[in-house]
């Protein structure tokens, strides 16, 4: 956890200057620890004090020199002092050296530990230069991402692509492969494809052989796009190379196989791929899922929850026991929602265990178990073992059967917080799905705290989106309320430009967050159906997926066409 901004001097200063109350400061410190952000960043994000105000106050109080980073040429930063581990830990940046002194940009001049660490690392006396936190954050984000941005395909020569390291691979396989997997052009071509997928923000790569052609497609923002069509005679060599990288049996082409690749792009950046092969009529289809740990480190504020939805999720995460269920189809972002919740809960005081099939992203400080059906390590077996390991929080990748559901509910009723997923269309259907599995209604009512149904909607590209004229009568038919229409808003449509994919760039979550109320619990125990439960939840203020999606249209985040696509079930 970053230590920046957690020093007593700065928090005392804000209280003494009456910029924050003691209660506000305590809340900010708590949120800082949960989000693993600096205290300064947390205060700014909460809009309690602006970055400029904090910088000017620290300048007046401590006399630390103040620098406007917008006027500073970052190209002059001395690379030999760029210790990225310390930069990421303290959110500080070495700016320049004068004599035997190294000047460090920081938004918190009381962070003596940062100066001491840089001083020890560089062997120079470190002194603080005060900067605005938001400007510093922008520069640090760019620097920490430059390893990936440097992989623009046009800027990479063949030699550097051939040298990209695939770690944890049994290199003895390379010597045994006779069908081109050690062929330099194939190595370079595959590395180009993988780095291009990372650069474009793809979530999956599809390598597909057909009778007369071979195609490669990327899934970007939930939509597949064809990106390359290599000669069909290379199909076997491409498959063999990918299987060698994944530590799979290259001689076995009759049955599906699963593997992983850890691709080290630089000293500080690596990406994991989950690899699945499938024998088809004309060869092996290979699908690779990109597992980028940065997606699991997103703050909850970036996922797209409306304020009241986010408050409900955070409230239920703070409960000592009960169950939080996340539901939606494959690829709807359930894993990221769960991992975000786990990151909030991941403190020194809690013992957290997860059972996943498979474990997609490693989370430090959390005990993750990979389900292995062949070895008898099932979800129920893992759960039973967890309950003998003194857990505080348990995450079950998916509730697939009655046995798993019963153990998870028992855990939620006996002092544990349980997080899990199901595959249903809505939050209300999740409850009836558990009943249909055979779970008694009274057990569901007494254990489930919150259900989140979600989808992922593509974001409109901010560079090319254009206003769209829609009649008020049409807006009413689409589901907008008369009040929303009378307040006025601009509807935008996708256009498309060089910076996006068909007018969209990135995705945002759309959520339906349903709290277990007394009335819903009573309806469940009386045998009510999902329609009755949904009606009660809406009467109590729940926004369904469609309503949440239309709010994103009002906010200018996405288009009506995109909301129709993702909420048309």
């Amino acid at each position: 956890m970053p230590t920046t901004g957690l020093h007593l001097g700065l928090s005392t200063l804000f209280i003494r200057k009456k910029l924050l109350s003691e209660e506000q400061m305590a809340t900010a410190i708590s949120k800082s620890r949960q989000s693993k952000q600096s205290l300064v960043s947390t205060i700014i994000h909460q809009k309690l004090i602006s970055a400029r105000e904090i910088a000017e106050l620290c300048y007046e109080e401590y006399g630390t020199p103040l620098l406007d980073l917008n006027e500073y040429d970052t190209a002059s930063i001395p690379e030999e002092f760029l210790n990225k581990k310390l930069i990421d830990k303290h959110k500080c940046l070495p700016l320049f050296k004068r004599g035997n002194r190294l000047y460090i940009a920081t938004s918190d001049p009381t962070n003596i530990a940062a100066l001491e660490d840089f001083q020890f690392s560089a062997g120079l006396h470190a002194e603080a230069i005060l900067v605005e936190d938001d400007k510093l954050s922008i520069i640090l984000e760019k620097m920490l991402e430059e390893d990936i941005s440097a992989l623009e395909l046009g800027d990479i020569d063949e030699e550097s692509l051939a040298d990209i390291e695939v770690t944890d691979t049994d290199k003895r396989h390379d010597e045994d492969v006779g069908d081109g997997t050690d062929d330099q052009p194939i190595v370079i071509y595959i590395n180009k494809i993988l780095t291009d997928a990372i650069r474009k923000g793809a979530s999956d790569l599809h390598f597909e052989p057909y009778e007369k052609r071979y195609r490669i497609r990327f899934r970007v923002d939930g939509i597949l796009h064809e990106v390359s069509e290599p000669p069909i005679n290379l199909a076997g060599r491409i498959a063999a190379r990918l299987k060698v990288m994944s530590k799979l049996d290259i001689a076995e082409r009759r049955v599906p196989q699963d593997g992983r690749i850890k691709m080290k792009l630089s000293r500080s950046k690596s990406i994991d791929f989950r690899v699945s092969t499938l024998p088809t009529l004309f060869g092996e289809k290979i699908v690779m899922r990109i597992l980028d740990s940065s997606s699991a480190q997103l703050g909850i504020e970036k996922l797209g929850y409306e304020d009241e939805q986010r408050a409900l999720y955070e409230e239920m995460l703070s409960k000592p026991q009960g169950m939080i269920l996340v539901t939606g189809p494959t690829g709807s972002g359930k894993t990221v929602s769960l991992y975000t919740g786990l990151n909030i809960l991941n403190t020194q005081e809690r013992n957290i265990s997860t059972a996943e099939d498979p474990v997609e992203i490693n989370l430090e400080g959390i005990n993750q178990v990979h389900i292995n059906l062949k070895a008898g390590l099932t979800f129920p077996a893992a759960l039973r073992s967890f309950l003998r390991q003194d857990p505080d929080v348990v995450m079950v990748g998916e509730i697939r059967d009655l046995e798993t559901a019963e153990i998870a509910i028992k855990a939620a009723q006996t002092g544990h917080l349980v997080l899990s997923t199901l595959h249903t269309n809505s939050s209300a259907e999740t409850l009836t799905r558990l009943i249909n599995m055979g779970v008694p209604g009274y057990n569901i009512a007494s254990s489930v705290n919150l259900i989140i149904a979600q989808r992922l909607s593509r974001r409109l590209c901010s560079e090319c989106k254009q206003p769209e004229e829609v009649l008020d009568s049409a807006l009413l038919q689409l589901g907008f309320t008369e009040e929303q229409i009378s307040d006025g808003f601009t509807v935008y449509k996708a256009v498309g430009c060089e910076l996006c994919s068909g007018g969209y760039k990135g995705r945002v979550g759309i959520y339906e967050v349903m709290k277990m109320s007394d009335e819903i619990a009573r309806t469940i125990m009386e045998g009510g159906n999902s329609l009755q439960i949904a009606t009660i939840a809406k009467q109590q203020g729940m926004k369904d997926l469609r309503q949440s999606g239309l709010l994103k249209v009002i906010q200018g985040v996405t288009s009506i066409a995109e909301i129709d696509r993702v909420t048309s079930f």
Side-chain angles (χ1 to χ4, degrees), residues 171-224:
K171 291 185 171 60
R172 292 174 298 176
H173 285 206
D174 279 309
E175 299 169 0
D176 300 333
V177 175
D179 53 358
T181 57
D182 57 349
D183 188 0
Q184 195 82 331
I186 291 294
V187 171
I188 292 171
Y189 177 72
I190 293 296
N191 285 343
K192 274 191 176 183
I193 291 293
L194 299 187
T195 52
D196 196 17
I198 295 167
R199 180 171 59 84
K200 290 184 177 181
S203 60
D204 302 87
L205 298 79
H206 292 243
F207 297 81
E208 303 169 308
Y210 298 97
E211 184 177 12
K212 295 181 179 179
R213 64 187 291 250
Y214 190 95
R215 72 176 178 182
I216 300 174
R217 294 189 291 173
F218 294 168
R219 187 178 294 278
V220 180
D221 296 335
I223 306 296
L224 281 168

Side-chain angles (χ1 to χ4, degrees), residues 106-138:
T106 178
S107 59
D108 177 6
T110 69
N111 190 358
I112 305 302
L115 298 178
E116 290 176 345
D117 282 355
F118 278 103
Q119 183 167 304
F120 181 79
S121 172
L124 298 169
H125 182 73
E127 289 197 13
I129 294 284
L130 193 58
V131 295
E132 294 163 64
D133 187 81
D134 51 355
K135 295 177 181 178
L136 177 61
S137 296
I138 291 171

Side-chain angles (χ1 to χ4, degrees), residues 33-100:
R33 288 171 175 160
Q34 289 178 357
S35 64
K36 299 185 180 180
Q37 286 186 322
S38 71
L39 180 58
V40 172
S41 296
T42 302
I43 289 172
I44 294 167
H45 181 77
Q46 296 291 317
K47 298 182 179 178
L48 300 173
I49 313 175
S50 72
R52 186 65 189 177
E53 287 175 322
I54 292 176
E56 290 177 347
L57 176 63
C58 290
Y59 170 70
E60 294 172 3
E61 184 73 15
Y62 301 111
T64 309
L66 179 60
L67 174 69
D68 185 356
L69 281 177
N70 286 346
E71 304 299 325
Y72 188 77
D73 181 12
T74 55
S76 65
I77 293 175
E79 291 188 12
E80 65 268 27
F81 300 121
L82 292 181
N83 185 323
K84 292 193 176 181
K85 184 176 180 180
L86 292 183
I87 291 171
D88 189 43
K89 177 182 178 183
H90 294 296
K91 307 305 181 203
C92 296
L93 179 65
L95 288 179
F96 55 87
K97 175 192 170 190
R98 291 289 184 272
N100 67 341

Side-chain angles (χ1 to χ4, degrees), residues 247-266:
K247 299 178 67 175
L248 300 179
D249 184 353
I250 62 170
E252 180 56 79
R253 302 181 179 91
R254 300 164 299 172
V255 297
Q257 297 185 69
D258 294 306
R260 289 176 79 102
I261 296 174
K262 189 177 186 68
M263 190 173 183
K264 191 170 183 180
L265 302 174
S266 69

